[in-house]
Amino acid sequence: QSGGCGVAGGRMTDTRRRVKVYTLNEDRQWDDRGTGHVSSCYVERLKGMSLLVRAESDGSLLLESKINPNTAYQKQQDTLIVWSEAENYDLALSFQEKAGCDEIWEKICQVQGKDPSVDITQDLVDESEEERFDDMSSPGLELPSCELSRLEEIAELVASSLPSPLRREKLALALENEGYIKKLLEIFHVCEDLENIEGLHHLYEIIKGIFLLNRTALFEVMFSEECIMDVIGCLEYDPSLSQSRKHREFLTKTAKFKEVIPISDPELKQKIHQTYRVQYIQDMVLPTPSVFEENMLSTLHSFIFFNKVEIVGMLQEDEKFLTDLFAQLTDEATDEEKRQELVNFLKEFCAFSQTLQPQNRDAFFKTLSNMGILPALEVILGMDDAQVRSAATDIFSYLVEYNPSMVREFVMQEAQQNDDDILLINLIIEHMICDTDPELGGAVLLMGLLRTLVDPENMLATANKTEKTEFLGFFYKHCMHVLTAPLLANTTEDKPSKDDFQTAQLLALILELLTFCVEHHTYHIKNYIINKDILRRVLVLMASKHAFLALCALRFKRKIIGLKDEFYNRYIMKSFLFEPVVKAFLNNGSRYNLMNSAIIEMFEFIRVEDIKSLTAHVIENYWKALEDVDYVQTFKGLKLRFEQQRERQDNPKLDSMRSILRNHRYRRDARTLEDEEEMWFNTDEDDMEDGEAVVPPSDKTKNDEDIMDPISKFMERKKLKESEEKEVLLKTNLSGRQSPSFKLSFSSGTKSNLTSQSSASNLPGSPGSPGSPGSPGSPGSVSKSTSQMAAITTKGGLVGLVDYPDDDEEDDEDEDKEESLPLSKKAKLESS
């Protein structure tokens, strides 16, 4: 509840009232809190005149701060008012216009009973009462006269004033009032001419001390055109160094101001020079501040920060400047050196924009977008010059991090006119693939940007369309083949064709992105993996000599299994994709390493989650190879699961009863497949872009020819792989495993049983012995795999895709309890 607003109430649309609110964060950097209009009102709740800032966007209250009679308010640079609200909470109001700042300043001074001509309303007091009393009784601080002979005395006075806030305040006021800094700089010239090293050392201490006073008014004098180089000169003579630094020489001779496009505004040009030099002082000239001094340079950070904001604003408003910049960037006639300068300027311009607050950054990137920054980047990325391309990549990263949707929209629009190979996103993928850096630094950055672009979490959904559907459809049609090309090219045989370190690193990056897609893209990636047989190709990398790449391949498969999706499971079983994993496990022998643990964890997940189809597949095909592993109970546990499944199939009534209970228990949850995805999976084969349907829907049955065809192909492939098989068998003999039965486990009989999930599900029959996959067509084995399939499909239809992160530890205590119960009790438990 507030009374009538004072002078600063005014019209809300008035630009004089327009302010940005900043707060100082823990890193002593200013964070923007929003733009709004300021007014001063009496607020009943706070019992006093207060400053209110209402947000421009929605009228919400950004700031409500009582003008406290004892708070020290500072006015800086004509348009800033800064104060501390609490011990560690500094606030700043940055005004669009000087006039508005003056009005609010008058209001603050009126409340505090001060003269508005001051730049600070209160003495900053922070000492013991006794010390304060002593100081208050003495008048303002008297500075020694500015003479060469008294430099030591001045240096001692500055040093002794720094620890006391009150004395610092008095010293700063004395320095301001007497034009003292300019006098000191005149003495500096005298000392340099006389080569008076002692005097120069004193001047270094004095000027460094003045920096630590943290006063904008003093900085404005020191950083003025006439003083700044002399200030830098004083800081060259650090007494702790045996030789003086040549900072002025660097700034005047080495550091050249490159005006890539002529800047017509002299004020802007001066601001750019000043900012560069002050930044140089902060980064290169001043010694690294001690903990005690760190907070004393906050005003210096702020000075640079607000200067940058001003420069970006002035450049942005200069339309001729930006038009010329983009015209020259994309003009083929521009020579390489000039283009390099232009790109570097644009990169620095974007880096400066990071200091802007969100609303201004919006306007900044909108301006760049309207100027055609994305088509310009596309032209530059297509060029030969590596330095230019690198700078363009940095600019692209600013755009992606700021607004991925803007980049996606551009890429989808250009796809309608251009070929795939010159699309911006494909150029980015190619640069990633062709990174020549042995550590792949550039490729890692680009992979991160691609990940941001394909991440559905930051995609927008409007009433009429979803960006996810549109963009992912585009990405899988036009870009995915470029991304996976190196992977497919390298996995045509049983082992990676190139297995050097750099190739392995690149493939690991590609796999990381594909794993991310499996987790976040559901049906787009599923269609791609199954149609292009991607998982089989990825698992070739299990044979890489680089353990990190083999583990990346395994992680990819683990992510797929973690989804517990029967479409994926059928694909894995049909193509026998546990074979490379089992081989890698046996080749690894009994070594206790990451590969061993990761493979066991995958099988443990299948056991704990009771993924019936995969359990049956693993035991029927690979049990002989795995039965001797007794240092973990995983494989024996899988076998037990498998035998329990068969027991249930011997008793179909119990099984149907359980499925009724299960249907009752598993509700369709929020993360089930979206309707459009369900429809998409039920489309006919003719509709598939690549010919083959992803997986036949559960109500369709394939004829025998369809089932046998991939198996006969698989068997032909097996003959080619004979030689490698022997190598594995040799190793398994050494580790004491029964190799002939491992050989048996690939027999074609089992394969036909596993794959024929057709009408045989009603055949009863006694299951064959679990260890031998012998009798090719025994009715028992057919019914076993198929009725179990039917049960799974029911469950699969009801329970949605659930992702289990790789590092989650499964709590399987309940599972173990369940296993130890007799079947009838289990049925009762499930019904409860």
Side-chain angles (χ1 to χ4, degrees), residues 575-632:
S575 302
F576 290 85
L577 295 181
F578 275 102
E579 185 183 324
V581 178
V582 172
K583 271 188 186 173
F585 184 64
L586 297 178
N587 282 336
N588 190 59
S590 54
R591 279 177 296 173
Y592 177 40
N593 54 16
L594 196 53
M595 178 62 75
N596 175 280
S597 300
I599 293 175
I600 289 171
E601 191 278 337
M602 180 189 286
F603 286 112
E604 183 66 11
F605 177 81
I606 294 169
R607 183 192 74 78
V608 170
E609 293 298 320
D610 197 11
I611 305 174
K612 294 182 171 53
S613 52
L614 296 183
T615 303
H617 176 76
V618 169
I619 296 301
E620 287 174 348
N621 290 283
Y622 308 106
W623 172 243
K624 283 294 176 195
L626 301 169
E627 66 179 336
D628 293 337
V629 180
D630 51 11
Y631 51 86
V632 287

Side-chain angles (χ1 to χ4, degrees), residues 720-735:
L720 292 172
K721 289 161 76 175
E722 208 63 52
S723 58
E724 189 182 335
E725 200 62 68
K726 281 174 188 155
E727 184 188 324
V728 173
L729 293 175
L730 201 72
K731 291 194 181 179
T732 50
N733 278 337
L734 289 172
S735 59

Side-chain angles (χ1 to χ4, degrees), residues 325-590:
L325 174 71
F326 281 99
Q328 288 189 38
L329 257 180
T330 49
D331 185 354
E332 287 179 20
T334 306
D335 68 67
E336 277 191 19
E337 196 178 334
K338 176 74 170 170
R339 197 184 317 275
Q340 204 170 321
E341 288 174 1
L342 290 163
V343 174
N344 284 335
F345 168 80
L346 190 55
K347 175 183 160 182
E348 206 171 333
F349 193 32
C350 289
F352 267 34
S353 76
Q354 300 306 294
T355 60
L356 296 174
Q357 35 291 75
Q359 303 88 320
N360 289 33
R361 211 178 306 162
D362 278 350
F364 174 80
F365 281 112
K366 233 166 236 152
T367 305
L368 290 188
S369 180
N370 296 340
M371 288 284 173
I373 190 165
L374 284 162
L377 282 180
E378 195 164 50
V379 172
I380 301 163
L381 283 166
M383 292 179 176
D384 296 334
D385 189 328
Q387 277 184 296
V388 167
R389 284 203 315 263
S390 165
T393 304
D394 290 339
I395 297 167
F396 182 69
S397 72
Y398 284 123
L399 293 169
V400 171
E401 281 159 23
Y402 167 71
N403 189 348
S405 291
M406 178 174 87
V407 178
R408 288 187 206 108
E409 193 179 341
F410 168 75
V411 175
M412 286 193 287
Q413 280 172 355
E414 65 160 357
Q416 293 160 12
Q417 294 105 31
N418 296 340
D419 297 337
D420 283 3
D421 57 349
I422 57 167
L423 293 181
L424 177 60
I425 199 163
N426 285 347
L427 286 171
I428 292 293
I429 294 172
E430 277 167 33
H431 287 320
M432 185 193 87
I433 291 167
C434 303
D435 187 6
T436 50
D437 172 13
E439 293 298 317
L440 293 191
V444 171
L445 167 73
L446 294 172
M447 180 58 77
L449 297 179
L450 284 171
R451 190 176 179 144
T452 305
L453 286 174
V454 300
D455 186 354
E457 292 293 312
N458 63 45
M459 294 187 187
L460 308 168
T462 55
N464 54 351
K465 61 176 182 179
T466 66
E467 192 180 15
K468 179 180 171 183
T469 313
E470 282 198 350
F471 183 74
L472 292 184
F474 155 83
F475 184 78
Y476 280 86
K477 186 175 179 185
H478 297 280
C479 312
M480 195 50 135
H481 64 278
V482 185
L483 179 70
T484 54
L487 171 71
L488 296 175
N490 216 28
T491 53
T492 49
E493 306 297 324
D494 289 347
K495 288 186 170 171
S497 42
K498 275 179 78 182
D499 204 20
D500 58 281
F501 181 63
Q502 199 160 352
T503 306
Q505 273 190 303
L506 176 66
L507 293 179
L509 276 179
I510 293 170
L511 275 180
E512 198 181 309
L513 191 62
L514 288 176
T515 307
F516 178 82
C517 294
V518 166
E519 190 175 352
H520 294 277
H521 291 176
T522 57
Y523 62 100
H524 287 98
I525 188 78
K526 193 186 301 184
N527 180 36
Y528 191 80
I529 287 174
I530 295 174
N531 274 336
K532 304 281 188 216
D533 201 11
I534 295 290
L535 180 56
R536 185 176 63 77
R537 302 294 282 271
V538 166
L539 291 173
V540 168
L541 301 174
M542 294 283 293
S544 167
K545 67 182 180 198
H546 299 286
F548 70 87
L549 181 58
L551 286 161
C552 276
L554 185 64
R555 194 180 306 127
F556 179 69
K557 178 169 183 177
R558 173 66 177 78
K559 186 66 76 178
I560 288 173
I561 288 176
L563 294 173
K564 300 199 289 188
D565 180 317
E566 278 306 306
F567 288 108
Y568 276 133
N569 291 352
R570 274 177 261 179
Y571 159 59
I572 288 169
M573 294 185 299
K574 184 174 152 189
S575 302
F576 290 85
L577 295 181
F578 275 102
E579 185 183 324
V581 178
V582 172
K583 271 188 186 173
F585 184 64
L586 297 178
N587 282 336
N588 190 59
S590 54

Side-chain angles (χ1 to χ4, degrees), residues 788-806:
Q788 156 217 335
M789 268 295 170
I792 285 168
T793 319
T794 327
K795 181 172 175 179
L798 288 157
V799 180
L801 286 182
V802 182
D803 178 43
Y804 288 81
D806 293 356

Side-chain angles (χ1 to χ4, degrees), residues 74 678 721 772:
Q74 290 185 52
E678 289 286 14
K721 289 161 76 175
S772 63

